Amino acid sequence: MGSSQLVGILVGFARTLRNAGVQATGERVEAMVAAVDALDVTRPVDAYWAGRLTLCGEPDDLPIYDAAFAAYFGGRAPTRPSASVPAKRRAMALFAQADPNGTAGEEAGDDLAVAASTAEVLRHRDLAVLSAAERDEVRRLVALLAPATAARPSRRHHPARGGAVDPPRTVRRMLRHLGEPARLARRERRDKPRRLVLLVDVSGSMAPYADSLLRFAHAAVRRRPTLTEAFTLGTRLSRVTRALRHRDPDGALRAAGDAIPDWHGGTRLADSMKAFLDRWGQRGTARGAVVVLFSDGWERGDPALLAAQMARLARLAHRVVWVNPHRGKPGYEPLVAGMAAALPYLDDFVAGHSLAALEDLVGVISGAVRPRAATTTADERRAAERGRHSGAVRPRAATTTADERRAAERGRHSRS
């Protein structure tokens, strides 16, 4: 294995740690690469401790690191360092291939028949074509994702050394000194994360991706249980937030399956979106939130109704992200009637067909990255216009007037 391929594996592992909440910065990654080069790691136990000593910055990172190491490299994380470090320097691969019993097979003299982990390859594989073993591996990696929105200033304040003057605290301090001048009290606004709302299409056309997307929703709910809401869309709307709060991912999906009556059924996005906005979104769930829809855009009803509901959602939410599993496939164009109707009201249009796409989605939700793939290209916009003008969507109902667009922009800029 070449050094560039080895560095790629280590960088991919660091990326997995960052998505799990560990601050694996560039300096720490460089330190790990230097440690691997100095130790000439030929056994998993040495690689484990090389990464643990360089990538972890606090005690809370250790259990996350152990879970990420086991999931990324497909084996159990070592619990103790080796007695001696091999002195010979060879540029070989890092980790041993696992045998059918799940243990690493060693060659004579503690040397391992080592090979690169398949985790980096699985990151870019389509979730719909994975084998059973690959699907289990991806499930473990999806569970390590930590989707969370960025913080925003709230209306509440808290004492601080700098910032604006806090008149009530300053006056109380002066009264304690019988009205004598006292040191000015300062305050600053508290930061509060935005609410995250996930709408997952579980219709028949989304069946190959529904399991992975619900596990992504489970990871988001487990990260911030009180600030994350999860719903499923199909022929009806189902709230699965309570079911996804279960600690075990498999148990959470079983509970969610019991709560979803239209699993792998038809698609009525407009009716489901209207039910969500009438019952939940308009009453505060979607106000100022980051709303993420997972769907391929197939709509059995009138696309004009879906366009109207998406316009309502765009006025309420801080950001609307649409995740389409077909977005990352070559030659894709949003010609489906439902997708063409929703496209003008989206802030981000991203792929969701692979683990790498879901990792990029974590950055889009947090606002840390704005990749080019997150926005619609000129070709996609023209394709959507062709789909709209070809009769798939009623022109008058699907498009907006100049006054409506200006009103939507005023509403968008006034959202908290």
Side-chain angles (χ1 to χ4, degrees), residues 43-44 96 104-113:
R43 293 186 298 177
E106 297 188 4
E107 292 182 348
D110 288 340
D111 285 341
L112 299 176

Side-chain angles (χ1 to χ4, degrees), residues 58-134:
E58 55 187 21
D60 292 340
D61 294 341
L62 300 182
I64 301 177
Y65 177 86
D66 292 341
F69 187 92
Y72 189 83
F73 297 112
R76 181 176 300 176
T79 57
R80 64 182 62 182
S82 59
S84 61
V85 177
K88 52 188 175 181
R89 303 179 56 85
R90 297 177 300 181
M92 298 178 63
L94 276 177
F95 307 100
Q97 292 178 338
D99 60 17
N101 296 325
T103 59
E106 297 188 4
E107 292 182 348
D110 288 340
D111 285 341
L112 299 176
V114 291
S117 172
T118 59
E120 191 67 20
V121 178
L122 287 178
R123 289 183 62 252
H124 302 280
R125 291 284 302 278
D126 195 317
L127 298 174
V129 297
L130 297 178
S131 63
E134 293 172 337

